[in-house]
Amino acid sequence: MDRFLIVGLGNPGSEYVNTRHNIGFTLLDHIADSCGGSFSAVRYGDLLEWRLKGRSVLLLKPSTFMNLSGKAVRYHLKESGIPLERLLVVTDDVALPFGKRRLRSKGSDGGHNGLKDIIAIMGRSDFSRLRIGIGNDYPKGRQSDFVLGQWTEGEAAEINTICTSSTSCIEQFVLAGVQLAMTGCNKSEERP
C-alpha cells in the first residue's frame, strides 16, 4: 500500500487554537472530522492514519512548536519509511492573500521559520508544500502579533470553505502526484 505523510504546521497548546499560524493544524483537524478519525499522541506529535482510495495517509501535527518542526518531520519520515516525494507540508503564508493556496514540489523557506527548520534538519528543500494564504494586513513590525493572532470574524466564516478546497488539493497530491495536483490546485487565482 502506498503511504504518504502530510504534516500540518502549527503550535501545540490551547492558546494557539484558531490562530493564523496554525492553519496547518486546522486543516488536518478538518480532515479528521470529515473522515471520522481522531489523533493519537505519538513521539513528536499527534498522528492519524487516513485511508484514501487504497492509500495510507499519515496526518501529523508536530508537538515540537513551529520553529522546531524539522525534528518531527525527519523522525516520522524515517519511522514510517515514507520517501521524501510522498511528504507534503501544509503551512501558513503571509505573502499570499487570505484563502489563496499554492502547491509547490520544492522551494525556499520564504521566511517561514517552520519550513526553515525542516530544510535545515533535512538538509534539503525538495519536498512538497501547500501554502495557505493568511494575508498581510498588519502594521510594520507587527507580523508576529498578526500570525499568532485569532482570525477575524469574517475570516473565521471562510475557514471551513478554505479547508475543504485545501483537502481537495491534498487528495490530488496523494492520488495523482504533485505535478498534476499543482496544475489542479494552482490554476485558479480566485479565492476559494
Side-chain angles (χ1 to χ4, degrees):
M1 177 183 294
D2 289 343
R3 303 182 84 203
F4 295 80
L5 178 62
I6 312 298
V7 181
L9 297 188
N11 286 310
S14 58
E15 65 270 35
Y16 298 106
V17 173
N18 295 322
T19 60
R20 294 176 181 93
H21 217 24
N22 271 35
I23 189 67
F25 279 18
T26 302
L27 175 55
L28 268 53
D29 286 337
H30 174 87
I31 295 171
D33 289 345
S34 299
C35 72
S38 59
F39 286 89
S40 299
V42 295
R43 188 170 184 188
Y44 300 133
D46 294 324
L47 195 66
L48 165 65
E49 183 177 8
W50 173 32
R51 296 296 179 122
L52 180 64
K53 296 187 179 177
R55 279 101 170 158
S56 171
V57 184
L58 300 181
L59 305 178
L60 174 67
K61 299 190 298 183
S63 59
T64 52
F65 284 93
M66 180 72 77
N67 298 353
L68 301 172
S69 300
K71 184 188 296 187
V73 173
R74 180 178 63 189
Y75 175 82
H76 284 281
L77 274 177
K78 184 175 180 184
E79 184 74 9
S80 62
I82 294 173
L84 193 66
E85 60 268 17
R86 292 191 189 152
L87 165 68
L88 176 65
V89 176
V90 181
T91 184
D92 61 298
D93 195 322
V94 296
L96 290 174
F98 173 72
K100 177 101 55 176
R101 294 170 316 281
R102 278 290 170 273
L103 179 63
R104 295 282 184 258
S105 60
K106 59 184 176 182
S108 72
D109 60 51
H112 192 283
N113 289 331
L115 289 175
K116 188 178 296 184
D117 190 64
I118 294 169
I119 291 168
I121 294 285
M122 303 282 290
R124 52 198 303 181
S125 62
D126 56 337
F127 58 87
S128 298
R129 69 280 314 265
L130 175 61
R131 299 178 300 135
I132 301 174
I134 60 170
N136 57 9
D137 188 18
Y138 55 86
K140 186 176 170 103
R142 301 300 300 269
Q143 180 174 334
S144 181
D145 293 337
F146 177 77
V147 300
L148 293 174
Q150 299 277 323
W151 299 108
T152 67
E153 190 175 322
E155 290 169 340
E158 294 188 51
I159 294 301
N160 192 56
T161 301
I162 291 166
C163 285
T164 298
S165 58
S166 298
T167 299
S168 176
C169 289
I170 292 173
E171 290 173 345
Q172 290 175 51
F173 172 81
V174 170
L175 299 174
V178 69
Q179 295 303 323
L180 285 174
M182 281 168 51
T183 301
C185 293
N186 298 338
K187 67 181 179 185
S188 174
E189 287 300 309
E190 283 126 305
R191 283 183 22 204

